[in-house]
């Protein structure tokens, strides 16, 4: 049973890494500074970052050891989430990009970020 769970976890991390790479490409296509770095070809960890402007930075880290979402402004940490909450926040970011028109994206992302801070 544990071997099966370990394999499922590895597949989950690999899928998440591939999704982060796709999100970084989509964000770059919309004019945001975004990157997704992986270590080696095994896709078992990634560092995803996106700048939302005005010194507003999102960092999402995934590895076999855990998942974290960190939001910073002016080099100060505003919010740090782990696990499922971090993934939910990533989904909120992806949804905003997916459903917003290019001219209103920046305003919507800043608005969503403010709402997320209120939840914490």
């Amino acid at each position: 049973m544990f071997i099966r769970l370990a394999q499922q976890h590895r597949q989950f991390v690999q899928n998440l890494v591939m999704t982060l790479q796709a999100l970084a490409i989509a964000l770059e296509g919309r004019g945001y500074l975004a990157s997704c770095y992986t270590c080696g070809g095994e896709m078992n960890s990634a560092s995803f970052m996106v700048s939302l402007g005005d010194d507003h930075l999102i960092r999402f880290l995934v590895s076999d050891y855990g998942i974290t979402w960190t939001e910073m402004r002016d080099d100060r940490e505003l919010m740090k989430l782990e696990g499922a909450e971090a993934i939910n926040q990533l989904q909120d970011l992806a949804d905003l990009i997916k459903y917003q028109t290019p001219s209103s994206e920046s305003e919507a992302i800043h608005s969503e970020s403010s709402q997320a801070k209120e939840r914490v």
Side-chain angles (χ1 to χ4, degrees):
M1 176 175 94
F2 294 111
I3 292 172
R4 179 180 53 84
L5 290 173
Q7 181 59 29
Q8 287 176 344
H9 180 74
R10 277 188 216 97
Q11 289 174 342
F12 167 77
V13 169
Q14 289 172 347
N15 288 337
L16 187 52
V17 169
M18 287 188 294
T19 303
L20 289 171
Q21 289 175 323
L23 182 59
I25 291 168
L27 286 165
E28 285 179 333
R30 299 280 183 125
Y32 293 97
L33 295 174
S35 65
C36 184
Y37 296 100
T38 61
C39 298
E42 296 177 15
M43 308 282 281
N44 59 5
S45 65
S47 172
F48 168 87
M49 296 180 83
V50 61
S51 173
L52 302 177
D54 300 328
D55 292 323
H56 189 185
L57 184 69
I58 304 295
R59 182 178 65 206
F60 188 88
L61 302 173
V62 60
S63 73
D64 281 341
Y65 301 110
I67 297 167
T68 60
W69 163 285
T70 307
E71 188 168 349
M72 296 171 284
R73 187 174 292 238
D74 298 321
D75 294 325
R76 294 192 327 175
E77 189 175 294
L78 300 174
M79 176 172 54
K80 185 170 187 172
L81 302 171
E82 297 180 348
E85 288 299 318
I87 294 171
N88 285 337
Q89 204 57 33
L90 186 65
Q91 182 63 55
D92 289 346
L93 175 65
D95 286 345
L96 285 171
I97 298 307
K98 184 176 178 181
Y99 297 117
Q100 297 297 321
T101 60
S103 62
S104 64
E105 284 176 4
S106 181
E107 290 177 20
I109 289 174
H110 291 295
S111 173
E112 177 64 26
S113 177
S114 297
Q115 292 172 1
K117 284 181 251 172
E118 292 172 6
R119 286 184 256 165
V120 174

